[in-house]
């Protein structure tokens, strides 16, 4: 949150995995059908089927679905679970194809809209730094 506090249940889950990312994804880097990885800001949320399957999911897949009880971005999931971003991207695609994760892609037109980008920049400048001073007043 902007005030430095965290939402309950959004703390990092544990230590970073010692398993190499390419082992977790079997060497895959993106969905072959789409030809590209999910954008960082893609929102993901567990489906009812995903929550029902939690006990049958293995390792990282289980952690991703469990972490996505509330919608969040692919980048947030990777940070929270301390997983490599591309691992989360690949596994999120797999979970989506299995119906265990809903994926909401960002609006490409909004991402290229200068007024949206200006509002994002203004919002980031308004976030206080560690001294409590908005970043545009340094």
């Amino acid at each position: 949150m902007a005030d430095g506090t965290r939402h309950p249940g959004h703390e990092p889950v544990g230590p970073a995995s010692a398993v190499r990312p390419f082992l977790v994804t079997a060497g895959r880097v993106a969905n072959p059908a789409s030809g590209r990885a999910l954008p960082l800001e893609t929102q993901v949320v567990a489906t009812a089927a995903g929550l029902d399957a939690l006990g049958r999911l293995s390792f990282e897949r289980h952690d991703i679905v469990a972490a996505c009880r509330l919608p969040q971005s692919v980048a947030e999931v990777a940070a929270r679970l301390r997983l490599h971003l591309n691992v989360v991207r690949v596994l999120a695609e797999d979970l989506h194809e299995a119906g265990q994760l809903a994926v909401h892609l960002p609006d490409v037109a909004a991402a290229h809209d200068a007024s949206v980008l200006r509002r994002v920049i203004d919002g980031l400048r308004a976030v206080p730094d560690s001294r409590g001073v908005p970043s545009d007043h340094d």
Side-chain angles (χ1 to χ4, degrees), residues 40-130:
L40 298 174
E41 66 275 17
T42 299
Q43 295 290 301
V44 291
V45 64
T47 63
L51 294 173
D52 288 343
L54 270 177
R56 297 183 305 276
L57 295 174
S58 61
F59 308 110
E60 292 83 5
R61 286 172 177 80
H62 173 278
D63 293 345
I64 290 170
V65 172
C68 290
R69 285 186 166 96
L70 296 174
Q72 54 194 303
S73 71
V74 169
E76 290 171 309
V77 174
R80 178 164 182 241
L81 298 178
R82 297 181 182 173
L83 289 172
H84 192 282
L85 178 61
N86 288 329
V87 168
V88 174
R89 285 173 159 164
V90 170
L91 296 181
E93 289 174 349
D94 292 349
L95 291 164
H96 176 64
E97 288 174 12
Q100 297 163 338
L101 203 65
V103 172
H104 304 282
L105 293 169
D107 181 358
V108 176
H112 295 290
D113 181 343
S115 66
V116 172
L117 295 174
R118 174 55 54 198
R119 288 195 314 266
V120 169
I121 291 169
D122 291 344
L124 290 171
R125 285 186 176 148
V127 174
D129 66 10
S130 61

Side-chain angles (χ1 to χ4, degrees), residues 16-41:
S17 174
V19 178
R20 298 296 236 171
F22 66 87
L23 292 175
V24 177
T25 64
R28 291 175 298 130
V29 294
N31 181 344
S34 71
R36 65 178 190 84
L38 292 173
L40 298 174
E41 66 275 17

